[in-house]
Structure formats: C-alpha cells, structure tokens
C-alpha cells in the first residue's frame, strides 16, 4: 500500500487499512473523512478547583515575600475563576520547603480557609489566602514553593448574594 500523505490515507480503501494496519488507523482515516468516531475526553467538563503555584528560583524566608507571591497567585486564580463565570467558597494556601535539601529543616503545610459566602472578588480571595498564610507560616525555614487553590466551585448564576439591607432598615427609611 503506497500511503505517503494524509490525502493518500483519506483516499485509501477503509477495509484494507483495517486489515493491514489497525483499528486505530481505520478510525483516524474515518476522522480525516469527516466521520466522528473518537470521543474527546473531558470536553465540556467543568473545573472542580483552580490551582496556581510555583517554585521559587531561590529560597524565600520572609513572610512579606511569601505574601507577595500568594497575593499574585490568588489574583491569577481569581481571573480564571471569573473567566469561568464561577465563584469559590474556600481558599487553600500551601507552603513548602525544598524536599531535596536534606541538610535544611523541612516544613510543609496547607490550610483551607472558608469564605463567609462564595465569591469571585479578588480582594476577598486574597484576604482569605493571606489569613491562611499567616496561620501556617513558621520563621526559620527556607521556603521553595507556595500555592493557592480556589475550591468549592459553583456557577455564579447559582449563587445569590444576601440582600444588603434588612427589612427593618427599609422600614425606618420610609417612615
């Protein structure tokens, strides 16, 4: 069989392709000819969470530097959250030393901070992440990595924020 180009594969006899090669190549040929036969995994599946984390080029010891990275990671995660049209009900912040530096003391912790109500507001999400960072930070360690995960996802349309005014405050304004 003389197949040198994609066009040659498209034009080849489908029965000969399956017999001489494999079912997979036969399906590929069908796809090339416009017949859908390979399912796309995960297409349209909604996210469960958003994680943003990075390792530092050098060790970091100060909480101010860690807070800066946590705030940046939270901002990036919040952008993705809003792009998806979702809100998160909790923020998980994590902190790690370098596990390959056995000569240094090791420490790794994470903490989930629940929000009072689901949100996509960057300021609220950063506040929760920094609260978590302050709770898990320990001085005296050389940190290599931080991360932020937005969790307990739901579509923004499903979330109904509470009214800002109560019935009694509305009644006092009308009196």
């Amino acid at each position: 069989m003389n197949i040198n180009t994609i066009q040659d594969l498209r034009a080849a006899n489908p029965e000969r392709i399956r017999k001489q090669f494999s079912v997979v190549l036969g399906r590929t040929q069908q796809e090339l000819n416009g017949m859908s036969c390979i399912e796309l995994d995960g297409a349209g599946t909604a996210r469960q969470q958003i994680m943003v984390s990075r390792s530092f080029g050098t060790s970091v010891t100060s909480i101010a530097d860690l807070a800066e990275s946590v705030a940046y990671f939270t901002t990036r995660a919040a952008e993705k959250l809003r792009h998806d049209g979702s809100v998160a009900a909790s923020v998980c912040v994590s902190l790690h030393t370098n596990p390959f530096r056995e000569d240094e003391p090791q420490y790794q912790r994470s903490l989930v901070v629940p929000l009072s109500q689901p949100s996509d507001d960057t300021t609220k999400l950063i506040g929760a992440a920094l609260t978590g960072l302050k709770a898990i930070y320990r001085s005296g360690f050389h940190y290599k990595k931080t991360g932020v995960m937005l969790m307990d996802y739901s579509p923004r349309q499903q979330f109904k924020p509470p009214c800002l005014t109560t019935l009694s405050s509305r009644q006092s304004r009308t009196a």
Side-chain angles (χ1 to χ4, degrees):
M1 192 169 261
N2 190 16
I3 298 176
N4 297 312
T5 67
I6 292 175
Q7 184 59 37
D8 293 341
L9 179 59
R10 287 181 67 198
N13 182 326
E15 289 180 25
R16 285 189 64 199
I17 292 290
R18 276 191 301 262
K19 285 180 183 176
Q20 192 170 355
F21 298 101
S22 68
V23 172
V24 174
L25 188 60
R27 288 181 182 161
T28 302
Q29 181 190 35
Q30 289 175 331
E31 289 279 344
L32 289 171
N33 286 312
M35 185 184 302
S36 179
C37 57
I38 300 173
E39 276 191 47
L40 298 176
D41 294 334
T45 303
R47 289 191 220 214
Q48 300 285 318
Q49 59 200 15
I50 296 174
M51 176 78 177
V52 180
S53 68
R54 299 285 183 276
S55 293
F56 304 121
T58 59
S59 295
V60 175
T61 58
S62 80
I63 193 166
D65 291 338
L66 293 170
E68 185 178 333
S69 72
V70 165
Y72 175 74
F73 296 157
T74 306
T75 301
R76 295 286 301 132
E79 289 168 358
K80 293 177 184 183
L81 185 70
R82 286 189 296 276
H83 181 266
D84 289 352
S86 299
V87 292
S90 59
V91 178
C92 178
V93 62
S94 61
L95 191 57
H96 307 271
T97 56
N98 188 345
F100 301 105
R101 293 293 309 262
E102 294 175 1
D103 59 321
E104 293 180 356
Q106 298 296 307
Y107 180 79
Q108 51 203 20
R109 292 288 184 276
S110 64
L111 180 68
V112 175
V113 180
L115 300 173
S116 58
Q117 60 188 25
S119 180
D120 64 358
D121 183 317
T122 302
T123 305
K124 291 177 183 176
L125 296 170
I126 288 174
L130 293 178
T131 297
L133 175 66
K134 289 174 187 166
I136 63 174
Y137 173 80
R138 299 293 176 261
S139 62
F141 291 96
H142 295 272
Y143 295 101
K144 184 67 176 169
K145 183 177 184 177
T146 60
V148 172
M149 186 184 320
L150 302 183
M151 302 167 50
D152 302 324
Y153 236 54
S154 59
R156 188 180 300 123
Q157 307 90 292
Q158 285 183 359
F159 172 68
K160 294 183 179 153
C163 294
L164 297 176
T165 58
T166 62
L167 181 59
S168 61
S169 66
R170 276 190 240 140
Q171 288 174 343
S172 65
R173 279 188 274 151
T174 59

